[in-house]
Amino acid sequence: MADNKYDVIIVGGGHNGLTCGAYLARAGKKVIVLEARHIYGGGVITEEVTLPGFRHNMHSYQHTWIFMGPVYSDLELQKYGSKYIFPPSGYALLFEDGESMIGYAGDFDRTCKEIGRFSKKDEKAYRELYNFYKNFKDIYVGFLFNPPLPFSKQYSLLEDTPYGREVIRTQMVTMEDIVDEYFEHDRVKTFFCFMGGQSGMDHITIGGGAIFMAMTVEWILTGSGCSVGGSQSLSDAIVRALEAYGGEVRLNCKVKKFIVEKNEVKGVEVEDGSKVYADTVVTNLNPRLTFGEMIDQDILTDDVIKVSKRWKREEGTLFTIHLALDEAPKWIAKNPDFARTCYVFGIGVETMEQLTSQILDIKRGVPPKDLGYITAVPSVFDPSYAPPGKHTFLGSQFAGYMLKEGPEKWDELKEEYGDKMVQFFQKFAPNITSDKILGRYYDTPIDIERRNPSMYQGSMSSGAYTPDQMGVFRCLPGYPTAKTPIKGLYRSGPSSHPGGGCSGGAGYIAANVIAEDMGITKWWKTPAYFGGRPVDIEMGKNI
């Protein structure tokens, strides 16, 4: 690669880095994105890992947040080829006796009645819960697409009202605390905690209450978008937008080192020895890579080195099976509506005790013995995922990266544990006999890290969603959002605020900060507007 000079270098082609680059390219800056892999998108990727023609979402497979903020509309992603299907049911959980619990997308009353089949008291409690917290959505969306307030200021805005104090409390409790407070039926509790856990925060970790509220009042009723052609299609659309305004993406281009002179970034050195120069560089990588491996330690302050070393993943990550199927699953569900939720749903998580058992096994360093996991069959709604008449299946089981014998033990256990998960799936879809499984691909926690080193120890969100790694603590406390102690070096990835998930929030926030520092006239609206409505953080109400 020849040496090059750009206005902005983005290191890492995840969807946040691409988003940041697209905003700045449209603002007239010469932007290049350098991606180490053969494919861009980071966690928002789709690959043919089982058989040709069968498309599998490797990480991100349900999209809700991207539609809450400005990114999708600002970058005109529909114009650049992005399309979505929204299945009629948001989330569902299927039990071994054929009973199921379904969250009906856009139908609050029907969802309440579904809960009422298990407990009339819980139905009433959910109605009260939703009505009290329904404005939590606006606070949460404001959190996703704006720099975080210092905790002292955030709390001072909230602590003077009953609603605000309750919002603060959700950040100090677990999901389990809240479901125990509101609900009595074990299956209702299990449903909410299992679905809330898809965020990357488990039900017994402090701080999960805030995730629970967002999930309760928004995710279940909004449902999840199914990206036509796979999650990769969203990344493709962002790249098309970036390239339409003169931006460039280079694949198979692994950055080895950030070039820093007198505490100012000057560019990057690529693994092949070539260099790319810019006075503005954006890292989409986690702090252990950015500050622990890619910058000379003698130019960093002790506090930054300390943060990079202690950055941690969430307790559990995922063991995923990808299957190429000869036909669609025929579920044991008694409710025929369950078949219409075959995009995001869980199977076999029967009780809170079982859900807790999975987390405790992870803490003990053993693969969870009590199976029960999230699944998706996107080809039911989008035939482009597979050849005509065929289907793709995903099953993601919570699992730990660090086994007692070390993470490499997963290489030895992979086939056995994957086969066990397949057999478990067949209990819920008996028509999927072994001859109906045309191809298999098992993905362990250590495989995730090998594929994408920025997903530290297979982290679902490039860093745990614990209070010490959220808001102003994600990931450099003491430094302004998206900035670093090195002049011209910025952060935009999921280890930055607001975190992981497919929202484009970190990229959007970084683009705003960089635009202000570079004196760019923003072509987009600022401050951020959500659904056309500014957010009243103090009262949690729409203005």
Side-chain angles (χ1 to χ4, degrees), residues 91 99-104 107-130 182-189 191-192 212 215-216 220-221 335:
Y91 291 83
E99 285 292 340
S100 59
M101 186 174 294
I102 299 173
Y104 289 94
D107 196 330
F108 175 63
D109 286 334
R110 196 174 183 188
T111 299
C112 289
K113 291 176 181 177
E114 179 75 355
I115 294 171
R117 292 195 308 109
F118 296 86
S119 167
K120 292 298 182 183
K121 179 182 176 182
D122 287 355
E123 176 184 355
K124 181 181 178 182
Y126 181 68
R127 288 183 182 275
E128 293 174 354
L129 181 72
Y130 180 84
Y182 281 94
F183 303 124
E184 65 175 8
H185 199 288
D186 194 53
R187 283 189 169 179
V188 175
K189 295 180 181 182
F191 172 76
F192 282 114
F212 173 84
M215 181 272 297
T216 299
I220 288 176
L221 293 178
N335 186 346

Side-chain angles (χ1 to χ4, degrees), residues 32 134 157 314 324 382 384 471 517:
I32 187 168
K134 60 185 177 183
L157 288 171
E314 56 272 59
D382 179 8
S384 70
D517 286 355

Side-chain angles (χ1 to χ4, degrees), residues 44-63 83-85 87 225-234 322-325 342-344 376-394:
V44 188
I45 58 171
T46 308
E47 298 189 79
E48 295 182 355
V49 292
T50 55
L51 294 170
F54 290 85
R55 298 175 61 77
H56 301 271
N57 295 323
M58 301 305 294
H59 299 285
S60 173
Y61 57 88
Q62 52 174 316
H63 297 165
K83 297 180 181 179
Y84 276 84
I85 297 170
C226 177
S227 178
V228 174
S231 296
Q232 186 70 46
S233 297
L234 177 67
H322 296 280
L323 305 179
L325 302 179
C342 295
Y343 186 58
V344 181
V377 190
S379 50
V380 168
F381 298 99
D382 179 8
S384 70
Y385 273 81
K390 312 300 181 184
H391 292 272
T392 58
F393 173 85
L394 170 153

Side-chain angles (χ1 to χ4, degrees), residues 115-431:
I115 294 171
R117 292 195 308 109
F118 296 86
S119 167
K120 292 298 182 183
K121 179 182 176 182
D122 287 355
E123 176 184 355
K124 181 181 178 182
Y126 181 68
R127 288 183 182 275
E128 293 174 354
L129 181 72
Y130 180 84
N131 287 328
F132 187 78
Y133 283 106
K134 60 185 177 183
N135 291 311
F136 187 90
K137 170 187 174 182
D138 293 326
I139 293 177
Y140 189 73
V141 172
F143 175 82
L144 286 176
F145 296 96
N146 284 292
L149 294 173
F151 286 122
S152 58
K153 186 174 183 180
Q154 179 190 76
Y155 290 164
S156 68
L157 288 171
L158 293 167
E159 63 189 3
D160 290 336
T161 67
Y163 185 90
R165 289 191 291 272
E166 188 65 12
V167 170
I168 294 174
R169 187 180 77 95
T170 65
Q171 301 174 40
M172 302 177 177
V173 298
T174 69
M175 294 184 208
E176 188 171 29
D177 289 329
I178 294 182
V179 298
D180 283 344
E181 178 183 348
Y182 281 94
F183 303 124
E184 65 175 8
H185 199 288
D186 194 53
R187 283 189 169 179
V188 175
K189 295 180 181 182
T190 302
F191 172 76
F192 282 114
C193 283
F194 180 66
M195 294 305 168
Q198 307 314 309
S199 66
M201 173 74 84
D202 66 62
H203 66 290
I204 62 175
T205 297
I206 296 295
I211 296 292
F212 173 84
M213 296 320 308
M215 181 272 297
T216 299
V217 303
E218 180 59 26
W219 301 349
I220 288 176
L221 293 178
T222 299
S224 296
C226 177
S227 178
V228 174
S231 296
Q232 186 70 46
S233 297
L234 177 67
S235 297
D236 289 345
I238 302 174
V239 168
R240 292 189 191 103
L242 186 154
E243 292 177 339
Y245 294 102
E248 181 182 347
V249 178
R250 288 186 187 173
L251 301 177
N252 300 306
C253 185
K254 184 177 181 180
V255 173
K256 180 174 68 174
K257 184 179 180 181
F258 294 94
I259 301 171
V260 180
E261 298 176 3
K262 297 181 180 179
N263 208 46
E264 294 184 12
V265 72
K266 297 299 180 182
V268 299
E269 181 179 341
V270 183
E271 199 170 50
D272 65 5
S274 61
K275 297 178 180 179
V276 186
Y277 297 98
D279 293 330
T280 298
V281 179
V282 185
T283 174
N284 211 37
L285 311 178
N286 74 48
R288 284 179 174 265
L289 291 175
T290 297
F291 304 108
E293 299 183 19
M294 300 170 68
I295 298 175
D296 291 337
Q297 299 296 284
D298 58 357
I299 66 175
L300 294 174
T301 58
D302 290 342
D303 62 327
V304 173
I305 294 174
K306 183 185 296 184
V307 167
S308 69
K309 288 182 177 179
R310 75 185 180 200
W311 189 252
K312 63 181 183 292
R313 55 167 170 78
E314 56 272 59
E315 192 73 56
T317 177
L318 298 173
F319 186 115
T320 301
I321 60 173
H322 296 280
L323 305 179
L325 302 179
D326 194 39
E327 63 185 42
K330 296 178 182 177
W331 304 101
I332 62 171
K334 297 174 182 178
N335 186 346
D337 287 346
F338 185 83
R340 303 169 70 220
T341 67
C342 295
Y343 186 58
V344 181
F345 60 100
I347 58 172
V349 182
E350 303 290 316
T351 65
M352 286 294 294
E353 181 181 1
Q354 179 188 356
L355 196 57
T356 301
S357 171
Q358 292 185 5
I359 302 302
L360 294 180
D361 278 348
I362 290 170
K363 288 179 178 290
R364 286 190 285 262
V366 298
K369 59 182 180 300
D370 288 329
L371 295 184
Y373 49 83
I374 201 75
T375 63
V377 190
S379 50
V380 168
F381 298 99
D382 179 8
S384 70
Y385 273 81
K390 312 300 181 184
H391 292 272
T392 58
F393 173 85
L394 170 153
S396 290
Q397 169 70 51
F398 286 126
Y401 172 89
M402 191 60 68
L403 300 178
K404 287 181 178 179
E405 302 90 339
E408 292 79 9
K409 182 68 174 179
W410 276 119
D411 293 333
E412 181 182 331
L413 298 178
K414 177 192 288 192
E415 294 303 318
E416 178 185 352
Y417 200 72
D419 288 345
K420 181 180 178 181
M421 286 180 62
V422 171
Q423 291 164 10
F424 187 76
F425 157 54
Q426 290 171 321
K427 291 169 54 178
F428 296 86
N431 67 306

Side-chain angles (χ1 to χ4, degrees), residues 67-85:
F67 304 106
M68 291 183 180
V71 173
Y72 198 84
S73 57
D74 276 358
L75 297 182
E76 301 177 293
L77 298 184
Q78 192 168 4
K79 169 184 172 182
Y80 291 106
S82 174
K83 297 180 181 179
Y84 276 84
I85 297 170

